Amino acid sequence: LLFYPVQYEGEESSRNVFYTGAAPNQQAIPAVDYFLEELGVEKFALLGTDYVYPRTTNNILEQYLTDNGIAADDIFVNYTPFGHSDWQTIVSDIKKFGSAGKKTAVVSTINGDANIPFYKELGNQGISAEDIPVVAFSVGEEELSGMDTSALVGHLAAWNYFESVESP
């Protein structure tokens, strides 16, 4: 038996595996719904580390977004290798993508320590959550604890739980 505790793409099942993490319909879809319904987002940048979870989740989200009236031209998708650290060009591309007058957001399946330089570059280029909010599915509290979070105020994370939050 395998107990699989992290989020997963949800397109498989096994009688030998207990999946205890969130699938896209439990994590990604509600986060996108929040952007659509509460923030009025009309353009989406789907950023991910290049492996199965981000690719599958983003495929699901692309279809979900188009089913909800978002034009294909209003969806930007980019994948980077594990540990990617040079975010200057990609963040510039997102800034340009978001400058067309439509409310833009980033849905991030960037994994692990690559989040640190990503968020740092957002701050370097003056992108705040008011301009282009980010919701992250794969940033952990450990990465955040080692960062200057002053530039991150207003950005979001969607997890099953946060260990540092003293609340049910």
Side-chain angles (χ1 to χ4, degrees), residues 3 12 31 34 57 61 78 99 107 143 148 158 168:
F3 286 84
E12 65 182 23
Y34 177 80
T57 298
L61 288 179
N78 186 274
S99 68
V107 176
E143 288 91 15
D148 172 14

Side-chain angles (χ1 to χ4, degrees), residues 26-27 30 47 50 52 54 68 84 96 123 125 128 130 135 155:
Q26 298 167 317
Q27 182 182 34
L47 306 182
D50 193 6
V52 68
N68 280 277
H84 186 75
K96 183 178 176 185
Q125 293 196 31
S128 71
E130 287 183 17
V135 63
H155 292 301

Side-chain angles (χ1 to χ4, degrees), residues 12-23:
E12 65 182 23
S13 66
S14 170
R15 63 188 195 146
N16 297 321
V17 180
F18 287 89
Y19 299 95
T20 63

Side-chain angles (χ1 to χ4, degrees), residues 4 8 11 17 33 51 75 85 92 102 113 115 118 164 167:
Y4 194 77
Y8 73 108
E11 294 190 338
V17 180
D33 283 343
Y51 73 107
I75 302 170
S85 60
S92 291
K102 291 182 177 180
D113 60 357
N115 282 289
F118 168 66
S164 64
S167 169

Side-chain angles (χ1 to χ4, degrees), residues 2 7 38-39 42-43 46 48 51 59 70 77 84 93-95 99-100 107 109 113-114 122 140 144 147 152 164 168:
L2 172 67
Q7 83 254 49
E38 301 297 324
L39 301 182
E42 300 172 284
K43 293 180 82 165
L46 308 179
Y51 73 107
N59 284 338
I70 303 297
V77 181
H84 186 75
D93 290 344
I94 293 165
K95 193 173 184 177
S99 68
V107 176
T109 51
D113 60 357
L122 287 175
L144 289 174
M147 296 172 61
L152 304 181
S164 64

Side-chain angles (χ1 to χ4, degrees), residues 30-155:
V32 166
D33 283 343
Y34 177 80
F35 276 166
L36 291 168
E37 297 165 10
E38 301 297 324
L39 301 182
V41 173
E42 300 172 284
K43 293 180 82 165
F44 288 82
L46 308 179
L47 306 182
T49 302
D50 193 6
Y51 73 107
V52 68
Y53 171 75
R55 285 192 174 272
T56 305
T57 298
N58 287 342
N59 284 338
I60 291 167
L61 288 179
E62 279 186 90
Q63 185 64 55
Y64 186 76
L65 290 168
T66 57
D67 289 349
N68 280 277
I70 303 297
D73 290 346
D74 290 334
I75 302 170
F76 170 89
V77 181
N78 186 274
Y79 297 100
T80 54
F82 280 97
H84 186 75
S85 60
D86 183 7
W87 289 95
Q88 189 171 8
T89 301
I90 297 167
V91 170
S92 291
D93 290 344
I94 293 165
K95 193 173 184 177
K96 183 178 176 185
F97 177 69
S99 68
K102 291 182 177 180
K103 181 70 176 173
T104 303
V106 172
V107 176
S108 171
T109 51
I110 299 166
N111 196 279
D113 60 357
N115 282 289
I116 296 169
F118 168 66
Y119 283 107
K120 189 173 189 174
E121 189 58 35
L122 287 175
N124 290 345
Q125 293 196 31
I127 298 174
S128 71
E130 287 183 17
D131 303 321
I132 301 175
V134 176
V135 63
F137 305 146
S138 299
V139 64
E141 291 175 281
E142 187 63 31
E143 288 91 15
L144 289 174
S145 69
M147 296 172 61
D148 172 14
T149 57
S150 59
L152 304 181
V153 173
H155 292 301

